[in-house]
Amino acid sequence: MSGFGLGQLRLGVNIDHVATIRNARGGRHPDPVRAAHIAVEAGADGITAHLREDRRHITDEDIARLSVEIDRPLNLEMAATDEMLEIALRHKPHAACIVPEKREERTTEGGLDAAGGHNHLQRFVSELSGIGIRVSLFIEAEERQMDAAASLGAQVVEIHTGRFCDLALAGDGPGRERELDRIRNAAAYAASLGLEVHAGHGLTYETVGGVAVIPEVVELNIGHFLIGEAIFSGLDSAVRRMRSLMDASRVRQASQG
Ligand SMILES: CC(=O)[C@@H](O)[C@H](O)COP(=O)(O)O
Ligand SMILES: NCC(=O)COP(=O)(O)O
């Protein structure tokens, strides 16, 4: 149950890094699909998985199994390539979130340049939407990127919270607040364009509250921190704690009016 007064805030659990641990030995344990089941039982509203071109963690088989074995929406993160488009059209996940990818990156370093890549992206957005897949663009908190997403016909934008989280981790209070203001303004602007607003990347127990109270944000996608916490407290406990922090933030915000 999310905060009273504010809309329901969904939690999408990204299970990429369960696959990172599995792939370290090349076996089948730990199983990302088993993790997805545990996350759903613990309160996840959906599962996010990033099928990278280099398959460094989530594999094609993981996506195939998640597509049929999990009874919650699957949010497939993908690069805008013909290979990934074919896979998405084949499995028809609830949503496809188009993210930028560079092989040499350790993790996603920035948002998709929807404005600069408008012509390249149009075919992907049209073909995915054309068969009923909700298309999300993982973008920076910038109005021009929101304008591009709306003009492309994407239904959803996911605002990159990585810089906010990095500033928080570095103890840069003023910088963190400036970035959070940027995210707040971008969320309100995106909603005014009729876009559904999600947020994610790098969120932790410490940073989730600042984003959870943004009224236009209806979904948070959180993965790496939760899988890390799961090593110490178990995945069920980590997801439940994140869920309760999200809900408590919304209740606090609603009670303050
Ligand atoms: C787009 C994003 O921020 C993440 O969902 C993405 O999955 C990060 O890539 P890794 O999971 O490979 O770190
Ligand atoms: N799109 C963000 C996501 O799915 C999870 O990002 P992270 O929590 O693993 O950094």
Side-chain angles (χ1 to χ4, degrees), residues 14-220:
N14 183 314
I15 54 171
D16 291 351
H17 298 294
V18 178
T20 298
I21 298 170
R22 176 198 56 199
N23 293 4
R25 286 286 175 87
R28 303 184 69 81
H29 177 79
D31 177 7
V33 176
R34 178 182 168 195
H37 282 299
I38 292 169
V40 166
E41 284 306 306
D45 299 286
I47 296 298
T48 291
H50 184 181
L51 183 64
R52 279 181 171 267
E53 287 184 274
D54 61 14
R55 281 38 173 207
R56 65 181 67 172
H57 41 55
I58 292 291
T59 64
D60 301 62
E61 183 192 359
D62 293 327
I63 295 301
R65 289 183 56 216
L66 288 165
S67 302
V68 297
E69 295 183 33
I70 301 299
D71 66 352
R72 285 292 187 288
L74 174 63
N75 174 34
L76 170 65
E77 289 186 334
M78 55 177 272
T81 65
D82 287 332
E83 178 195 25
M84 291 301 156
L85 178 61
E86 187 278 327
I87 291 167
L89 296 176
R90 179 160 21 104
H91 292 297
K92 203 180 170 187
H94 168 75
C97 181
I98 303 178
V99 302
E101 266 186 34
K102 292 195 292 278
R103 286 192 184 247
E104 65 278 7
E105 66 184 4
R106 193 159 48 177
T107 185
T108 303
E109 292 169 347
L112 186 72
D113 182 9
H118 193 287
N119 294 342
H120 171 67
L121 291 168
Q122 186 62 74
R123 176 168 63 90
F124 294 90
V125 176
S126 303
E127 289 205 35
L128 291 163
S129 305
I131 67 161
I133 296 172
R134 285 180 70 74
V135 178
S136 174
L137 302 184
F138 186 76
I139 55 179
E140 295 294 336
E142 294 168 8
E143 288 191 0
R144 73 188 189 96
Q145 297 296 348
M146 306 299 169
D147 289 332
S151 131
L152 280 160
Q155 292 82 24
V156 182
V157 289
E158 179 168 334
I159 298 176
H160 190 315
T161 54
R163 185 180 302 111
F164 161 66
C165 295
D166 290 345
L167 289 165
L169 204 59
D172 179 352
R176 165 196 168 131
E177 284 314 303
R178 274 196 304 275
E179 185 61 19
L180 197 51
D181 274 342
R182 233 165 59 90
I183 294 171
R184 278 193 203 97
N185 295 336
Y189 183 73
S192 73
L193 298 176
L195 293 162
E196 181 172 306
V197 184
H198 300 178
H201 196 91
L203 291 172
T204 66
Y205 294 152
E206 195 273 330
T207 53
V208 71
V211 181
V213 295
I214 299 173
E216 294 84 3
V217 174
V218 297
E219 180 172 310
L220 298 181

